[in-house]
């Protein structure tokens, strides 16, 4: 009897344990086979804030960008600053703070403030993405990678990794793991109905 209870307790405790969550969503009208090249989306800093946000580090920014580029190259994409097929942007969701709304300037389409993001602001259309979630709706520490079609300035793919990433203390290993998890969802595999 004790053995059966031990097994049941183990199964129950394993079922209740949740780990990091990796998800993605994408535009069903996008043809991902035509995307062969990439470049980084030209970001905007909100004013009056400079430096990119709380805990912002140019080193961390470079680490994230290198990790994303490495994963894209593994998928057969190559860099092209002049005329890329895709633009890349990223964010890290941060916990809300007491920053007042007057401390920031919001980009159109972003219903959240300075305290919810780590990276820069971008101005691209998100309407074609089913089940789109803003950065503010994701748990703090979530790494988000967006792929944008430069011809339409529309988001075509978003992947995220909910793992409590802290941009202040994250190291190379944490960043590489988070990015690898996000990019494991790209390119998307369409669900076909039988």
């Amino acid at each position: 009897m004790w053995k059966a209870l031990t097994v049941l307790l183990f199964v129950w405790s394993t079922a209740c344990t949740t780990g990091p969550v990796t998800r993605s969503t994408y535009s069903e009208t996008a043809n991902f086979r035509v995307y062969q090249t990439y470049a980084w989306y030209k970001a905007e800093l909100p004013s009056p804030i400079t430096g990119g946000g709380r805990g912002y580090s140019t080193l961390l920014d470079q680490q994230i960008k290198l990790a994303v580029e490495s994963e894209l190259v593994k998928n057969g994409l190559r860099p092209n600053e002049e005329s890329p097929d895709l633009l890349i942007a990223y964010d890290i969701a941060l916990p809300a703070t007491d920053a007042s709304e007057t401390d920031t300037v919001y980009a159109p389409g972003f219903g959240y403030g300075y305290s919810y993001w780590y990276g820069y602001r971008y101005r691209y259309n998100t309407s074609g993405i089913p089940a789109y979630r803003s950065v503010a709706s994701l748990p703090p520490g979530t790494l988000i990678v967006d792929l944008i079609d430069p011809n339409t300035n529309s988001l075509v793919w978003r992947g995220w990794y909910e793992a409590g990433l802290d941009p202040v203390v994250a190291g190379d290993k944490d960043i590489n793991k988070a990015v690898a998890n996000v990019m494991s969802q790209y390119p998307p595999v369409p669900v076909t109905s039988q």
Side-chain angles (χ1 to χ4, degrees), residues 36-153:
Q36 300 297 313
T37 61
Y38 67 86
W40 285 94
Y41 198 94
K42 300 298 181 223
E44 301 173 24
L45 280 174
S47 51
I49 295 165
T50 58
R54 181 168 62 94
Y56 183 79
S57 158
T58 54
L59 180 59
L60 180 63
D61 181 59
Q62 290 171 347
Q63 290 170 333
I64 292 171
K65 287 180 176 180
L66 285 173
V68 170
E69 288 179 13
S70 174
E71 294 298 323
L72 288 173
V73 168
K74 287 178 188 176
N75 280 318
L77 280 81
R78 57 192 190 286
N80 181 341
E81 290 293 322
E82 300 302 317
S83 59
D85 299 324
L86 283 173
L87 295 173
I88 315 161
Y90 80 88
D91 275 298
I92 299 175
L94 296 178
T97 66
D98 294 320
S100 74
E101 290 185 18
T102 59
D103 291 340
T104 61
V105 175
Y106 305 114
F110 291 94
Y112 51 90
Y114 166 75
S115 58
Y116 289 102
W117 58 275
Y118 173 80
Y120 295 97
R121 288 303 77 207
Y122 310 96
R123 295 178 189 258
Y124 45 83
N125 180 7
T126 61
S127 64
I129 301 293
Y132 171 80
R133 293 174 63 191
S134 70
V135 175
S137 71
L138 294 167
T142 300
L143 173 69
I144 304 105
V145 177
D146 288 344
L147 301 179
I148 300 101
D149 185 316
N151 297 318
T152 62
N153 200 39

